[in-house]
Structure formats: structure tokens, C-alpha cells
Amino acid sequence: TAAGFGGTWVAAPWATQDIAPLTVAFVRFTLAAVLLLGWTRIRGASLALERRDLPIVLGVALTSVIGYNVLFLYGVTLAPANHGAILVPGLIPLATLALSRFLLGATVVRRQVAGIGLSLVGLALVVGPALTGSETVLEGDVLFIVSAGVWASYTLIGRASRLDSAVLTFWGVAIGAAGLLPLALIVGGAGAHLDQLGAAPQRALLSVAYLGSIGTVLSFVTFLEGVKLIGPQRATAYSVLIPVFGLVLVAIFLNEPLTAVSLVGAVIVLAGLRVTQTAAAATASAATPRDEPEHSTPEPA
């Protein structure tokens, strides 16, 4: 999941250089919905929804599809992608811990907070002085920060679902794409969007394809599976690996070399992740009855 999402910080700037962000988002999730429909059909998974599923499906569509991607794609048009690759995954674990504590009453131990704080120090070393910038860059950074909170909300919503991860993701992206279409038309009009797609270079089109396939279908499904297996706090702690993968992919595809400071920061990120994971595992083990597996997920009310 982290590797797939790490690649989006390369694909998104390439795509939005030539195609409007809302158009990118709509095409991305329309493609993802088609791929997920085929995947669920091959697996024989039922797409039937019950009334109790509707709030969760709508919540997934509004947070992970519409909300997060509008903020994410407009953010990369205002601020450097490396800002988002650091700020978003670095803040998601903190936001998830906070929401889990205040909304669900989850136990949060100091070691978890310390581990995430250590990871943030590593992320700061990776970015270094590049976080300072113009007012436009600051606006983009604010969008990245808000998007981290939106993604944390999606994490908790997704965990409450009884649906198969691929089925939940299908309905989320399908409804999200339907919601993005009128937004895209209002902002630019159908003709302008079609002209952009028709004139877009191959790199931009391939980037949209990556966002819809690996950046959505693969990464969303594996992320939800991880949340169900080990819980939201431990699963989102892995988000600090996204900038590590992002740095490697940027070095490969954008020919930006890794500096010594970035490598040190990556090691600190991994150390913070280890601290967070062990603390969350100890907390979950203490709170879970011996006759129940740690990864058991309660049915939604």
C-alpha cells in the first residue's frame, strides 16, 4: 500500500501539469470503478448493499474519494509534491490517533505518540528547509494538512464496514466519481475537459491510468484489508513509509538524487514506525480477550 501510494506523488504532478485536477480525479475513479467491478465479478463477490451499509459507503466516497482527492490534486498544483509526500503521511497517524481517542475512546499510550513524533522528526529531515516557501506554497501545504485529517476519517469509517474491501472500495469510488463529475463540469465545462484529455501527452495519460489502477484499486483495497487485520492505528502508522518510497521513485523517475540528510531521515522514520507499531501491538494485546484474535473487527451497530 505504501509503495503504491508513494508512486502517486510522482503521477499526480505529471497528470495535473496537462489536465485539470477535477478531470484527473473523475477519470481516475471512473477507471477504478470499472476495474473494481471486473475484479469483484471475477471473484464472485456480491455487490448487494443493505441499508446499514449506505452511511459507510457514502462516508468512504465523501472522504477518501471526493474530499481527499480534491485537496490532494489541487495541493500539488500549488506546492511541491515532496511537501505533500511528507506532510500527508506524516500527519495521518497523529490524526488517526486523535480521532480514535476522542471519537471511539481508544487507548493511546505515550510510546505511540513518541514513535510518531520520532517519525515526524525524520520526515522533517527529509524535507529540510524546503518547507519554507511563498504564500501559494503555504496554501498548498494547508490543503495537504487538511487532507491528512480527511484520510484519517476514512480510515475509521472503512474499519466499521462489514463489506469485502474490494466491494466497499468499488461503491466508494463509483459514488465518488459520480459526485466529481458535476464538480468538474461546473469548474471547466465538458468541452474544455475533453479537449484537455485529447491533447494530453502520453505521460499525463499514463499517470492518470496509474492513479486509477495502482494508486486506487490496489492501494485502497490492500489498505482496508490491513486496517481490518491490525486496526486503524497500527495500519496508518505504515503511512510514514510513503515518503520513503516516494523519495526512491522520485530519484528513479525524476532523476533527483537522494541526499545524505534524506537517507538519515528515512532511517529515523523507520525507527519511529517500529516504536509506534510495537506500542500499538502491546495495547491491542492487552485489550483483546485471550480467546479472540487481535485482528477481529466488530460488526457495525
Side-chain angles (χ1 to χ4, degrees):
T1 300
F5 280 134
T8 64
W9 294 102
V10 175
W14 280 351
T16 54
Q17 281 179 3
D18 301 285
I19 307 172
L22 286 174
T23 305
V24 171
F26 169 70
V27 176
R28 169 187 184 177
F29 290 109
T30 300
L31 172 62
V34 173
L35 293 175
L36 282 166
L37 179 61
W39 175 244
T40 54
R41 293 295 85 189
I42 291 173
R43 293 177 55 201
S46 173
L47 296 177
L49 297 177
E50 298 180 8
R51 181 176 297 180
R52 60 175 175 167
D53 299 321
L54 296 180
I56 295 176
V57 169
L58 290 174
V60 168
L62 290 173
T63 54
S64 68
V65 179
I66 297 177
Y68 175 80
N69 279 273
V70 169
L71 295 166
F72 159 58
L73 291 172
Y74 274 102
V76 296
T77 66
L78 298 172
N82 61 6
H83 288 207
I86 301 300
L87 290 172
V88 176
L91 292 175
I92 284 175
L94 281 176
T96 304
L97 279 175
L99 290 177
S100 298
R101 177 67 181 88
F102 293 112
L103 297 182
L104 304 180
T107 301
V108 177
V109 297
R110 293 180 179 179
R111 191 176 178 186
Q112 287 175 281
V113 178
I116 292 175
L118 183 60
S119 295
L120 291 177
V121 171
L123 296 177
L125 287 176
V126 172
V127 176
L131 280 178
T132 60
S134 65
E135 183 176 341
T136 300
V137 172
L138 179 60
E139 292 174 358
D141 289 344
V142 170
L143 294 182
F144 291 144
I145 292 170
V146 175
S147 72
V150 173
W151 186 269
S153 300
Y154 155 65
T155 301
L156 300 185
I157 293 171
R159 190 195 187 195
S161 176
R162 67 175 186 87
L163 298 172
D164 175 85
S165 297
V167 173
L168 176 61
T169 306
F170 163 74
W171 282 114
V173 300
I175 294 173
L180 286 166
L181 178 58
L183 291 177
L185 294 177
I186 290 172
V187 171
H193 294 300
L194 290 175
D195 290 342
Q196 283 186 337
L197 288 173
Q202 185 179 34
R203 188 180 72 173
L205 296 176
L206 289 175
S207 296
V208 175
Y210 176 93
L211 291 171
S213 56
I214 298 175
T216 300
V217 176
L218 177 65
S219 297
F220 275 50
V221 171
T222 54
F223 178 75
L224 282 177
E225 283 294 330
V227 169
K228 288 185 176 182
L229 288 171
I230 62 177
Q233 294 178 21
R234 294 179 65 194
T236 52
Y238 280 96
S239 64
V240 296
L241 288 176
I242 295 175
V244 177
F245 283 109
L247 286 173
V248 173
L249 293 172
V250 164
I252 294 173
F253 293 103
L254 302 182
N255 295 319
E256 296 181 7
L258 292 174
T259 65
V261 174
S262 295
L263 291 175
V264 171
V267 172
I268 295 177
V269 166
L270 294 174
L273 172 63
R274 175 64 178 172
V275 172
T276 304
Q277 290 293 301
T278 54
T283 302
S285 178
T288 303
R290 293 182 181 271
D291 58 347
E292 293 183 10
E294 179 186 328
H295 61 265
S296 61
T297 304
E299 288 292 322

